Amino acid sequence: MSLRIVQLDDDPESPFPSIAHALAEPDGLLAFGGDLSPIRLLNAYRHGIFPWFSEDEPPLWWSPSQRAVFRTERIRLSSRRRRALRTSTLVVRADTCFRTVIEACAHLPRPSQGGGTWITGAIVEAYVQLHRLGHAHSIEVFDGNALVGGLYGLAIGRMFCGESMFSAQSGASTIALAALAQRLHAWGWPLIDAQVPNDHTRMLGVETWPRTAYLQALESLLGSEGLAGNWAQCFGEIPAASLATPSAA
């Protein structure tokens, strides 16, 4: 492995190798090693790179050749989903229980990964620290006082980089995504990075962009003022029923 990809050193401020050196197979693998410090993680996301590795591996750093991207004005909800939303009593909030959300994502069964998860204990602690610093955010779906779904990710400039989502109630993660898109669109944030497409995100309208197009969009959004700090107040509370009309999401 070390003959083909760069091993990062112990200095969290050391630069990542050029994206041009990312492997074609496995697609996007760029580097390994280093740590998960806030400085290194933020530097990675600013260059279109993210960590993805298992418990028994060193940190692996990726920038795939094709990137999954949502336009915040184009989340696709089925007619059946919209009908169900009209009578929903669920509500969506942000940044009230970040650790609970990321731990729920970590414990979600993933048959495609042999039942395991890439959200290791080290990942949890690293992103909790980013949350405390005002960079990582959770979008949370509540049924009364019960958390029933959500997602988490990072805000980089005016780009939201989604990491993972979970549902303890059918469709709750989709509600979190639609609410996030609604709020970001209102703020003038055009895109949500979903990293790698899958069947579920394709149903919701994700687009697949070449890496060069994604990096160009990212660069333009990094030049815009973002929204640091806790989002609980500025995000407010979004009734799931308000997402039933096409213009809402």
Side-chain angles (χ1 to χ4, degrees):
M1 177 183 292
S2 60
L3 296 177
R4 301 187 62 198
I5 61 173
V6 172
Q7 180 174 6
L8 302 181
D9 61 33
D10 293 334
D11 181 2
E13 296 189 27
S14 61
F16 282 89
S18 168
I19 297 297
H21 296 302
L23 300 184
E25 182 59 41
D27 181 26
L29 182 58
L30 178 66
F32 73 100
D35 60 11
L36 298 174
S37 65
I39 290 174
R40 197 186 299 269
L41 283 168
L42 292 172
N43 186 34
Y45 282 90
R46 290 181 181 123
H47 289 86
I49 302 164
F50 57 86
W52 185 27
F53 59 97
S54 300
E55 190 75 57
D56 58 347
E57 296 175 325
L60 301 177
W61 303 89
W62 303 78
S63 182
S65 62
Q66 301 292 313
R67 199 71 168 227
V69 180
F70 284 107
R71 298 182 188 269
T72 56
E73 80 277 17
R74 295 185 191 173
I75 302 298
R76 184 189 304 149
L77 299 181
S78 67
S79 297
R80 179 172 171 270
R81 176 67 60 196
R82 293 187 188 280
R83 285 195 298 272
L85 283 173
R86 291 189 190 112
T87 56
S88 176
T89 59
L90 302 179
V91 296
V92 186
R93 305 182 185 111
D95 284 352
T96 70
C97 53
F98 183 91
R99 179 181 286 275
T100 304
V101 169
I102 191 172
E103 289 181 346
C105 291
H107 295 140
L108 184 70
R110 301 178 192 273
S112 63
Q113 299 178 24
T117 179
W118 60 270
I119 307 176
T120 64
I123 286 283
V124 170
E125 296 308 319
Y127 285 78
V128 166
Q129 187 174 7
L130 283 173
H131 171 67
R132 290 172 180 153
L133 294 172
H135 302 293
H137 305 281
S138 57
I139 309 302
E140 308 141 1
V141 183
F142 286 91
D143 184 354
N145 293 322
L147 179 70
V148 296
L151 60 84
Y152 78 95
L154 270 68
I156 307 293
R158 287 193 301 122
M159 172 77 81
F160 189 90
C161 301
E163 282 294 310
S164 186
M165 53 188 182
F166 83 98
S167 290
Q169 188 177 116
S170 178
S173 63
T174 298
I175 291 172
L177 176 64
L180 171 64
Q182 181 195 78
R183 190 61 86 226
L184 293 179
H185 184 59
W187 291 346
W189 296 37
L191 302 174
I192 298 172
D193 170 24
Q195 297 183 348
V196 180
N198 57 44
D199 290 343
H200 180 61
T201 56
R202 289 188 186 98
M203 289 176 58
L204 296 172
V206 83
E207 301 176 9
T208 304
W209 291 13
R211 179 166 52 215
T212 53
Y214 171 78
L215 292 175
Q216 288 171 359
L218 175 62
E219 183 178 4
S220 69
L221 295 173
L222 287 177
S224 304
E225 185 176 354
L227 188 62
N230 190 288
W231 281 7
Q233 184 171 355
C234 62
F235 190 93
E237 184 173 286
I238 299 177
S242 71
L243 303 170
T245 58
S247 60

